[in-house]
Amino acid sequence: MTDDERFSLLVSVMGTNPVLPVKDPRIPDGVPMSAGYVPGVERLGVPALLMSDASLGVTNPGYRPGDTATALPAGILLGSTFSPALARTSGTLLGREARSRGFNVQLAGGLNLARDPRNGRNFEYLSEDPLLSAVLAAASVNGIQAEGVISTVKHYSLNCNETNRHWLDAIIDPAAHRESDLLAFELAIEWSHPGAVMTGYNKINGAYAGGNRILIEDILKGVWDFPGWVMSDWGATPSWEFALAGLDQESGLQVDKMLWQAEAFTDDLRAAYADGRVPSERLSDMVRRILRSIYAIGVDHWGPAPEVDLAAHHRIALDTARQGIVLLKNDGLLPLAAHPRICVIGGHAQVGVVTGCGSSAVTPPGGYAEVVRIGGAHGGMGEGRNLYLLPGAPLAELQKLLPGAHLEFDPGMSPAEAAMSARRADVAVVFGIRVEGEGFDNADLSLPWGQDAVIEAVAEANPNTVVVLETGNPVDMPWLDRVRAVVEAWYPGQAGGQAIAEVLTGAVNPSGHLPVTFPRSLDQHPRPVLDGLDTGWGTPTTVHYQEGSDVGYRWLAERGEEPLFPFGHGLSYTTFGYADLQVEAGDTVTATFTIRNTGDRAGADVPQLYLTEAAGQQRLRLLEFARVGLEPGESRRVTVEAEPRLLARYDGADGVTGCWRIEAGRHAVAIGHSATDLVLAADVELAGRAFGA
């Protein structure tokens, strides 16, 4: 390859969109607009790379007028399914729809742990737990890449807040980092072999993610022996020197030009190579890694574009929503019986369901039901901060399933008006929504626009009140004791209205389980006040992750505090019992137990295996889980095996040169319905051992 050909592979150019309305001349005529275009080398048979966001569908933020795709439920809802099979199926959908449009790189695999319930992008991610996140992300990546489309995993690492993300320095103990966020990446990469890893915007312990030699060269490419390439996020490459730290490709050149006044990997990198500051071996390695993934995934020998069955893909979106909606509270009001009068209140439930905003927003077939412009001042992301409503109004879907009931709708604009409507009904169903998205963190956990006051007024007016939440994060519930049922529907995707109605009426038995902890308040969080939240865009911000590897449920367990709703929690219209736990110990722990459906209807449960004590130290860790569907009265013997690194601690202060170490002695494990509802317990003796790096 010539030097010009090699350098051409090291940058991607962004297609036209509302922020970049003029086509970059480096994109040839006739090439579809995309998140990133990398020219191929035709004479050598190297295909061009065309990239698309993201994990929730093939996005189209203004690139291709009229182009739509299946809008899947949010990542956090997929996390609630605890279903690797569904993750694989949704990944296959993503890969097929991307390939049908000519996209051979899907910017999927969001793996950041939900460390902060205010993070605006948590809806894109999967959970607060490294094992659950890794299992589901790996399954999704495997599905995408089986279609011949390269998948990323992202955002490496600790891109856990959006506030001033380009100037945020995430401070964490290196060993704790290996046991939490980095462990999620390590396992997912090991189990799925993604073609690329995308770095985050932020710094980690003083060095930008894209220029962090410890994370990229020492850990990712060194300890883990990752053979693919490392790309930046869009606008996250302020310097050509990132190439010396391990970054292989600069993404979205124009955004770097806007933010940092330079395209780091064009003229600057060429100049550094010409005068010897970038060794020839490093340039060759950068190119070789990109080529390797092209050939390993099979992008170089695509056949005809696959047929896409949008009706089948809609059913996948529906099935995911059905399995991921979480019934948080129910004192017997749900499923809704044949009540003659039902009042549906708020949340634009007469129009559609909410989806998150930012680079992951997907335009569904037929377009959005409605877009309410909101805006914001933060770094250009305000253009995409809107209330996007996907078609499929819960109100209409409820009427279909309850044809004999009289349904009345109130918009929920006024607590007094909503209360009047609620008094006339046998049951009130209140929808609470929140717009969350890229570039913004939430100031608190309340519902905006006075919705908490509406719920309070409705609950006072009608004792039979159900609350349905469409959010991307946990929320405060000051009204919890005064309502009879609460459903967390997250952002449920293009079939979400139907899925919500089916869960409310019992046409579907809810089986989602929380992938994140719902705290009682932010006072339970390691950082009750989010650093830098009240500062202007562009302000350097430091966030100290003093909780280390004790993220979410681990933090509360360490402190002996009870959450509002625990990690793993999820109710059903049936009941499940566990019995006959047997545990075996060797290099890891294997648990076998019986699960029985003790109720009167079919349902699915997610039994969870936890470590509760390790060699005399209290330590709560999810070790493994299983999703099990059972008919009434049916029982099944289930065996789960712990990933050994979850039984261990990382022994090495620098996070690089150490090893995983299991302490010799008694280890306690338990099977439970959630992190706080542990039913069966057993002790095992483990021999001390060190392994890995």
Side-chain angles (χ1 to χ4, degrees):
M1 298 180 76
T2 67
D3 280 351
D4 284 345
E5 289 168 341
R6 294 200 292 173
F7 275 103
S8 72
L9 295 177
L10 306 184
V11 295
S12 72
V13 182
M14 200 171 185
T16 55
N17 58 68
V19 178
L20 299 168
V22 179
K23 183 172 79 73
D24 192 291
R26 289 168 288 193
I27 302 176
D29 292 339
V31 172
M33 294 297 101
S34 67
Y37 166 76
V38 180
V41 183
E42 186 175 0
R43 72 179 184 88
L44 298 177
V46 179
L49 298 179
L50 285 168
M51 306 178 181
S52 175
D53 289 299
S55 300
L56 314 184
V58 179
T59 67
N60 180 23
Y63 298 133
R64 303 172 303 283
D67 188 22
T68 63
T70 302
L72 290 167
I76 198 168
L77 185 147
L78 179 61
S80 297
T81 70
F82 280 68
S83 174
L86 264 181
R88 172 73 185 234
T89 300
S90 65
T92 301
L93 179 157
L94 282 172
R96 182 163 288 255
E97 292 199 11
R99 184 168 173 175
S100 73
R101 291 161 172 78
F103 300 128
N104 49 23
V105 180
Q106 190 70 15
L107 306 172
L111 260 177
N112 296 98
L113 299 189
R115 282 182 173 267
D116 194 315
R118 291 161 292 199
N119 180 13
R121 291 189 86 173
N122 276 347
F123 75 93
E124 295 184 45
Y125 306 138
L126 294 161
S127 82
E128 68 189 25
D129 182 78
L131 175 71
L132 178 58
S133 295
V135 167
L136 298 182
S140 178
V141 170
N142 282 325
I144 293 168
Q145 296 195 154
E147 296 296 310
V149 174
I150 294 168
S151 179
T152 63
V153 291
K154 64 183 185 182
H155 305 86
Y156 188 74
S157 168
L158 286 173
N159 194 166
C160 298
N161 284 104
E162 290 295 287
T163 300
N164 285 313
R165 60 185 182 177
H166 295 84
W167 297 272
L168 187 151
D169 191 1
I171 306 300
I172 191 170
D173 173 76
H177 196 189
R178 286 294 305 270
E179 294 176 9
S180 51
D181 305 68
L182 288 183
L183 181 57
F185 278 96
E186 180 178 2
L187 295 174
I189 290 169
E190 186 177 304
W191 295 335
S192 65
H193 310 288
V197 171
M198 184 194 298
T199 59
Y201 287 108
N202 52 293
K203 298 176 182 178
I204 301 95
N205 293 335
Y208 271 112
N212 196 306
R213 185 175 184 86
I214 292 174
L215 291 186
I216 300 175
E217 286 290 350
D218 295 347
I219 296 176
L220 178 62
K221 295 180 178 179
V223 175
W224 300 346
D225 197 25
F226 175 65
W229 91 89
V230 180
M231 67 169 70
S232 72
D233 206 335
W234 274 234
T237 312
S239 170
W240 68 267
E241 293 178 305
F242 282 23
L244 299 180
L247 188 69
D248 300 309
Q249 189 178 71
E250 178 186 8
S251 305
L253 289 172
Q254 307 100 307
V255 187
D256 280 317
K257 182 72 171 179
M258 288 188 294
L259 280 169
W260 314 112
Q261 293 73 57
E263 296 178 352
F265 277 21
T266 54
D267 293 343
D268 290 352
L269 186 63
R270 283 176 177 264
Y273 174 71
D275 64 20
R277 288 175 290 167
V278 175
S280 176
E281 296 79 9
R282 174 64 188 124
L283 180 62
S284 294
D285 179 59
M286 297 165 77
V287 174
R288 187 180 300 112
R289 288 175 173 276
I290 297 169
L291 294 175
R292 173 261 166 209
S293 289
I294 289 174
Y295 300 137
I297 308 305
V299 172
D300 60 313
H301 56 264
W302 272 14
E307 293 292 326
V308 172
D309 186 341
L310 285 177
H313 286 185
H314 180 83
R315 290 192 293 272
I316 292 170
L318 174 60
D319 198 31
T320 304
R322 286 167 168 167
Q323 295 189 40
I325 291 173
V326 184
L327 179 59
L328 295 177
K329 175 182 177 177
N330 185 27
D331 70 358
L333 182 58
L334 296 180
L336 293 174
H339 298 287
R341 296 171 300 170
I342 299 174
C343 182
V344 177
I345 298 170
H348 299 268
Q350 86 284 19
V351 177
V353 293
V354 183
T355 189
C357 48
S359 63
S360 67
V362 181
T363 307
Y368 294 112
E370 192 171 311
V371 178
V372 180
R373 299 293 177 186
I374 296 175
H378 292 280
M381 294 305 297
E383 175 73 24
R385 191 189 193 197
N386 304 303
L387 172 59
Y388 295 104
L389 292 164
L390 300 175
L395 178 64
E397 297 293 340
L398 277 169
Q399 189 68 78
K400 291 178 188 176
L401 294 173
L402 299 170
H406 172 73
L407 267 66
E408 179 180 336
F409 179 74
D410 181 276
M413 295 178 60
S414 158
E417 290 181 7
M420 286 191 295
S421 297
R423 287 191 193 97
R424 295 193 294 268
D426 299 301
V427 175
V429 181
V430 189
F431 283 77
I433 64 173
R434 191 166 64 191
V435 175
E436 302 179 45
E438 185 174 0
F440 301 87
D441 287 326
N442 300 309
D444 55 31
L445 302 187
S446 66
L447 294 173
W449 307 315
Q451 293 175 95
D452 285 320
V454 169
I455 296 172
E456 294 268 14
V458 170
E460 184 175 346
N462 190 322
N464 295 324
T465 295
V466 180
V467 175
V468 179
L469 299 169
E470 296 173 32
T471 67
N473 267 303
V475 297
D476 284 335
M477 301 184 195
W479 32 260
L480 180 62
D481 292 340
R482 291 180 291 283
V483 302
R484 291 188 60 187
V486 181
V487 174
E488 177 58 86
W490 308 112
Y491 298 150
Q494 69 180 47
Q498 178 180 342
I500 290 170
E502 289 174 337
V503 167
L504 291 176
T505 59
V508 166
N509 193 351
S511 58
H513 290 253
L514 289 180
V516 293
T517 300
F518 276 50
R520 293 187 177 276
S521 74
L522 284 172
D523 289 338
Q524 288 190 317
H525 193 265
R527 288 165 298 285
V529 177
L530 180 58
D531 295 317
L533 185 62
D534 60 349
T535 62
W537 191 74
T539 304
T541 302
T542 300
V543 176
H544 292 269
Y545 293 110
Q546 70 266 27
E547 70 271 22
S549 62
D550 290 329
V551 181
Y553 69 89
R554 298 177 176 187
W555 171 259
L556 293 185
E558 180 73 17
R559 295 164 62 87
E561 296 185 12
E562 288 289 324
L564 189 64
F565 294 107
F567 174 89
H569 170 75
L571 302 177
S572 170
Y573 296 147
T574 189
T575 53
F576 298 93
Y578 309 146
D580 304 325
L581 175 62
Q582 296 178 340
V583 179
E584 298 178 359
D587 287 342
T588 185
V589 172
T590 302
T592 300
F593 59 96
T594 298
I595 175 174
R596 180 182 298 276
N597 183 341
T598 56
D600 58 3
R601 61 177 295 171
D605 191 30
V606 180
Q608 302 148 44
L609 175 66
Y610 289 90
L611 173 71
T612 60
E613 184 178 332
Q617 294 185 336
Q618 298 297 314
R619 188 188 310 163
L620 190 63
R621 298 285 186 273
L622 178 68
L623 295 178
E624 190 51 282
F625 58 89
R627 184 179 175 91
V628 184
L630 297 171
E631 294 296 319
E634 183 184 4
S635 64
R636 188 174 304 166
R637 199 77 177 142
V638 175
T639 298
V640 292
E641 182 176 283
E643 158 56 47
R645 280 162 286 197
L646 292 163
L647 295 165
R649 303 304 297 260
Y650 187 80
D651 187 3
D654 62 359
V656 179
T657 59
C659 65
W660 295 95
R661 187 177 301 279
I662 295 176
E663 296 295 331
R666 185 180 69 86
H667 287 63
V669 299
I671 295 288
H673 298 287
S674 73
T676 64
D677 185 8
L678 303 178
V679 178
L680 304 175
D683 294 342
V684 293
E685 289 288 329
L686 291 180
R689 68 184 183 99
F691 59 98

